[in-house]
Structure formats: C-alpha cells, structure tokens
Amino acid sequence: MLLTITTTATPATDLGYLLHKHPDKAQSFEQSFGTAHVFYPEATDERCTAALMLEVDPRSLLRSRTSVNSPDFALAQYVNDRPFATSSLFTVALGRVFGSALKGRCNTRPELARTPIPLTLALPAVPCRGGADRARSLFEPLGWRVAAEPVPLDPGLPGWGDSHYLSLTLTGTMPLSEALSHLYVLLPAMDGAKHYWVDESEVDKLLRAGGATGGDGDDGPGWLASHPERGWITRRYLNRRDRYVRTALARLAEADDRTGDEEADDPATEDTAAAPAREERGPSLAEQRAGAVLAVLSAERATSVIDLGCGSGKLLERLVEDRALERITGVDVSTVSLERAHRALCRGCHPDGRGRHRPLFAGADGAREGSGDRLSRPELLVGSVVYRDARFSGHDAAVLMEVVEHLDPSRLSAMEESVFGAAQPRVVVVTTPNAEYNRHYEGLPEGAFRHDDHRFEWTRAEFTAWAEGVAERNGYAVRFLPVGPEHPETGAPTQMGVFTR
Ligand code: SAH
C-alpha cells in the first residue's frame, strides 16, 4: 500500500523539513505488522514527491490476533486485502512515521508547518464501500479536489465489474498537517474494518486529529466538528461502537459550541445501546430550540426582531426567511462570531453586492440604509447586552437564545436594565439550559456545565424565580415552555421564558 505526497511549493524540497525525512535518503521503519518505507521518487526545487510504502507481513497479523472484524470465513484470516489496501493499518504507520508532521510540528521552520502549500495526495487502492460519491462527500467539504476512479476487479476481465477500491487523487492547498489529519481520520472511516479493538482512547485520537481538542492557538472548532458528515465519520471511525460514538459526537458538538454556538446536542435522551446515531434521530436540540423560538415569535406576531448574542447566526438564517419581519438585527460581543454569521448570511448574496445582510458592523450612529431590496437584511452589530444601547430600541421582539448563562451573575441586573428597562421590546424570549437535565449527558461530570464558557446553569426553579422577578420589576408577564424531549423527573434539556408587555 502506497501514498505519495507531491508539492509544487517553492522550494518544493521544503517537504523534507515538514515530514522530518531527508529527500536524499530512503528510510525504513519496522512496525509490528510489517515495514514502512519512506523515499522521494522526485525532489527538485519545483516539484517534490514523498512516498510512504507499507509492506505488511500477513503472518504478523495472525500472530498478534488483531483482526477483529475478520470476515466470516476461515480463509479470510489468510486471504484478505490488508497487505495492499490503504486501510487502518496504513494509518497506524502514517501516525508513527509522520507523527510530527501530523501534529504540525517543525522545530527548525515553525512558520512553514502553518503555511498552506499546494499538495497532491495519491492513493492507488483505497477501500471505500460508498464508492466515488462517498469519497467526494468526505473530502470536498475540506477543500480538496477529488479524482476517484473505481479499481476494476480484474483489468483483464471487464465483465467482472469494479471492486470496492478507489484510486484516489486529492488536490488542494493547505498546511501539510491538516492534509495528513484528513487521511488519518477518513481512511479508516472509509475502510470501516479496523484491524484492532476500538476503545476509549480512540475517541481522543479522533478528536485530536479532527482538531476538536483546542490548543495550538487555533480557536476554531476543528475540521471534524464542522464537517457535514461528522456523524457518519465518527460512527465509522469508532467501528459503530455506540457508547464511544455518542461521547465523541457530544464532544464535537461542544467543540463547535466553544466557538460561539450552542449546538450542544443531547446524546443521552435515548440511552439504549442501540440508539440511532444523531443524524438518524431527527432535528438536533439546537434546531429544536431555534424552531421553538420561531414558533413563539410567529404566535406573538412579532414584526421586527433583535437577536441579542446571535453567535454565528443560526437563528438569523431562519429569521431572514420570514417575510413578515420588517427588520432583523443581530448583536454579539464576538466579532469572530459575527464574521461567521456574515459569511453564513452571505451565501445568498447577489453578484451585484446586494445580499441578505447589511454591511458588516454598522456603526452606533451609522445611518441605516433605505430598505430597498427586502432581502438586504439583517443588520449585524457589535455590542454587549449588559450596556444600554440605543440601537437595541425600536424592535418589537428580542431574543436571548442561550446567552444569559454566558454572563457573569453580577452582570444579570445590567442586562435586565438594558433590555427590559431601556430597550423595552414588546416580547422577550430567553432560553437557557436546564441544569437538572445534565445528568442524562453521558461523560458530563456531576456539577459540570455543558459548555466551558457557561458561568452558571439554572434549575427550573432558579430560572423561574429569576424570570418572575425580572417580569415583575419591569412590567412584563412571563410564561415558561420546555424545549426538547421532556423527562418526567428532570424536565426538558432547554427551558424557555416568554416575556410579554
Ligand atoms: N444565540 C446563539 C449563540 C449562543 S452562544 C445560538 O443560540 O446559537 C452565546 C453567545 O453570546 C456567544 O456568541 C457570545 O459571544 C455571546 N455573548 C456573550 N456575552 C455577551 C454580551 N455581553 N453581549 C452580547 N453577546 C454576548
């Protein structure tokens, strides 16, 4: 089994630094299951190719009795694809031989490791049951151009058709460590037949390689957390072991959250071992929450909405579809989140620059443009809910979706004053986690919060007491609604208060 990595960066031989392997040398590394060789078929300043070739000794696989998923016929122990397919064995070798490159370490040239470079990765025999379409759905969202040719079962006998192996060529520009991490996770996921037993440590490996464990000064959620196929990838990588899959998906949702969004899903509502994976279970909790907020706004016949702490704009994206709304505004303290919101809303931009949003970061005193095209919404503002702000006024409804728990408790009264006291929208919708429900979250230690940035999480009694106080002090009435699956003892995962004046 073989992988070639080609770059045309200048000088291309920098690839040697990145891989920690000198282009002039051929090197071999003994593995328990065979030998990995690294060599450079070409190495000029213009173009450099490194090859990783793994020779598997099938007898070593038998000796170590590692073939857990061996197909159900006896000979399969001896006759199988492991010696030539680019499978989970290959990724083990990749992790060992190119470990530093995978982690993005390059002591001599640290800036080089972070630099995106033009890359072509070629893999002649990748086992992939879903064929070329599956390979594209996995690699294209990560920025690769994908060429995937099915390998015929027997080139001499075309009537036999294709095997489930692909000859895969990926072309793209990115840091080498990122490219290797994509292979490290996606090759075993495509293969779906791990040669070793999957245990808890595999969850950590997956999240680390998927960039979802933070660190490295990178505050993004990592590529796996934001991958549209993250459910499928996680399930396959972890050999469909439900317990680990649920833990990993919950941690990925948290990673996505840490960058500003409340997508924390609830992995434990169905705690049977056979619980279907997330994507088969209907809408996520975040989607249900947004749906519940929209339903309330519609029932209250809101004519304009300000989304306070809008994050990356999940609710705004839904609000812009509502033609009944005359004005939509998103506010957040985080410019990173607002940029994400801007990009999300920008997808529908007209080529002539008219889009579904106003120019980013309209100033505090900036004159609002005439609405012209009704789609030129919403307005995105940098601001804080704990300061009185004239721009918050003039909206019929305000939403604080999963925001109050991010405020220091000592600042809650300042938020109350700026929203309920000064801006005074007719309707205010507040959602926040129900702490009582946390015990259903597998892997969440007792007393811990669902998200690193939460300053507190309230029980239903605590939320009710706070909300009734706010309502009374500011001349509102408040009613409460559960969001998400309700448990007879703990209630629903999200609690919602609807304040009306
Ligand atoms: N409402 C969004 C995001 C919730 S995450 C959703 O439900 O998907 C909490 C958001 O509140 C983050 O985007 C954070 O930047 C924002 N936030 C925290 N403190 C804030 C403050 N004082 N003023 C405005 N936004 C704040």
Side-chain angles (χ1 to χ4, degrees):
M1 52 184 103
L2 179 71
L3 158 72
T4 61
I5 306 170
T6 301
T7 184
T8 50
T10 37
T13 43
D14 274 354
L15 189 60
Y17 287 106
L18 287 169
L19 291 171
H20 297 241
K21 303 282 176 287
H22 199 286
D24 291 345
K25 278 200 287 193
Q27 288 172 273
S28 298
F29 304 86
E30 289 308 322
Q31 311 289 315
S32 61
F33 44 80
T35 311
H37 306 277
V38 179
F39 53 95
Y40 288 74
E42 58 183 337
T44 65
D45 279 353
E46 293 74 43
R47 199 180 147 89
C48 183
T49 298
L52 171 64
M53 193 180 83
L54 182 61
E55 275 183 305
V56 170
D57 173 2
R59 285 165 310 171
S60 73
L61 289 181
L62 277 182
R63 272 199 306 274
S64 54
R65 300 170 55 82
T66 45
S67 186
V68 188
N69 277 341
S70 64
D72 47 3
F73 60 103
L75 255 182
Q77 292 185 70
Y78 302 91
V79 185
N80 59 43
D81 66 357
R82 301 298 90 175
F84 62 86
T86 315
S87 65
S88 58
L89 273 184
F90 188 79
T91 34
V92 172
L94 183 77
R96 289 194 190 141
V97 177
F98 292 148
S100 301
L102 187 62
K103 294 192 188 93
R105 290 206 194 114
C106 184
N107 294 340
T108 38
R109 309 271 304 276
E111 80 296 345
L112 194 60
R114 286 191 294 271
T115 310
I117 53 171
L119 288 167
T120 301
L121 310 181
L123 301 125
V126 180
C128 180
R129 296 265 169 202
D133 287 345
R134 170 58 69 189
R136 274 193 288 274
S137 76
L138 294 175
F139 286 99
E140 282 177 349
L142 299 170
W144 291 105
R145 257 200 328 283
V146 178
E149 287 295 319
V151 176
L153 268 177
D154 186 332
L157 296 168
W160 280 30
D162 292 329
S163 66
H164 68 272
Y165 298 92
L166 296 174
S167 165
L168 192 63
T169 308
L170 306 169
T171 317
T173 299
M174 64 190 77
L176 180 68
S177 60
E178 221 174 287
L180 293 178
S181 75
H182 297 163
L183 294 183
Y184 188 80
V185 171
L186 297 179
L187 291 177
M190 285 195 286
D191 181 16
K194 280 214 160 175
H195 66 281
Y196 52 84
W197 191 249
V198 168
D199 63 18
E200 188 102 44
S201 70
E202 289 296 304
V203 174
D204 289 322
K205 269 191 226 163
L206 171 68
L207 297 179
R208 220 178 301 128
T213 50
D216 299 331
D218 173 9
D219 59 1
W223 63 264
L224 182 56
S226 43
H227 196 294
E229 297 280 357
R230 73 179 178 188
W232 187 91
I233 296 166
T234 302
R235 219 153 12 110
R236 299 273 298 207
Y237 185 95
L238 296 171
N239 254 0
R240 301 184 183 84
R241 300 184 68 80
D242 285 314
R243 196 153 79 82
Y244 302 131
V245 171
R246 275 182 285 161
T247 308
L249 285 176
R251 284 174 57 187
L252 284 172
E254 278 169 29
D256 214 9
D257 263 8
R258 276 198 295 274
T259 62
D261 281 18
E262 296 291 295
E263 273 208 348
D265 210 343
D266 114 84
T269 40
E270 294 151 85
D271 46 10
T272 61
R278 172 197 158 113
E279 76 261 37
E280 291 156 15
R281 253 199 283 139
S284 69
L285 181 57
E287 284 158 355
Q288 291 182 52
R289 202 155 41 215
V293 171
L294 293 168
V296 166
L297 293 174
S298 151
E300 293 291 340
R301 302 194 185 288
T303 52
S304 59
V305 178
I306 184 162
D307 184 4
L308 297 166
C310 63
S312 60
K314 295 274 157 56
L315 185 67
L316 295 173
E317 281 186 78
R318 308 268 302 263
L319 289 171
V320 294
E321 305 298 334
D322 184 348
R323 300 226 136 218
L325 293 173
E326 286 154 15
R327 185 179 173 199
I328 302 166
T329 307
V331 176
D332 207 286
V333 274
S334 156
T335 51
V336 174
S337 295
L338 285 176
E339 268 155 19
R340 291 175 84 197
H342 180 247
R343 276 200 300 276
L345 293 160
C346 224
R347 273 184 225 131
C349 266
H350 290 274
D352 64 2
R354 289 177 305 150
R356 299 198 291 176
H357 57 88
R358 293 175 180 282
L360 240 199
F361 310 155
D365 51 0
R368 288 181 44 225
E369 304 157 24
S371 56
D373 178 357
R374 284 176 62 85
L375 288 177
S376 67
R377 307 170 301 164
E379 197 167 6
L380 297 175
L381 309 172
V382 189
S384 168
V385 293
V386 299
Y387 296 107
R388 256 174 187 262
D389 192 323
R391 297 171 301 169
F392 299 171
S393 303
H395 295 85
D396 190 30
V399 176
L400 289 142
M401 187 166 88
E402 307 297 283
V403 174
V404 291
E405 66 277 9
H406 290 261
L407 305 177
D408 198 89
S410 66
R411 308 297 288 153
L412 283 173
S413 54
M415 183 281 283
E416 178 182 333
E417 155 60 16
S418 98
V419 178
F420 294 86
Q424 291 189 342
R426 182 176 60 88
V427 182
V428 184
V429 184
V430 176
T431 78
T432 193
N434 165 18
E436 292 162 84
Y437 193 87
N438 287 357
R439 68 168 149 105
H440 303 297
Y441 288 97
E442 196 175 322
L444 188 69
E446 212 183 315
F449 297 145
R450 294 183 198 177
H451 186 286
D452 289 347
D453 192 45
H454 286 179
R455 306 302 153 93
F456 58 87
E457 285 174 1
W458 276 327
T459 62
R460 284 170 293 174
E462 286 166 330
F463 179 53
T464 306
W466 173 79
E468 285 178 344
V470 171
E472 202 186 311
R473 287 188 289 275
N474 298 279
Y476 283 79
V478 61
R479 62 181 198 273
F480 299 94
L481 297 166
V483 181
E486 256 190 299
H487 188 277
E489 279 157 36
T490 59
T494 297
Q495 36 188 348
M496 178 194 266
V498 182
F499 300 78
T500 44
R501 202 153 50 81

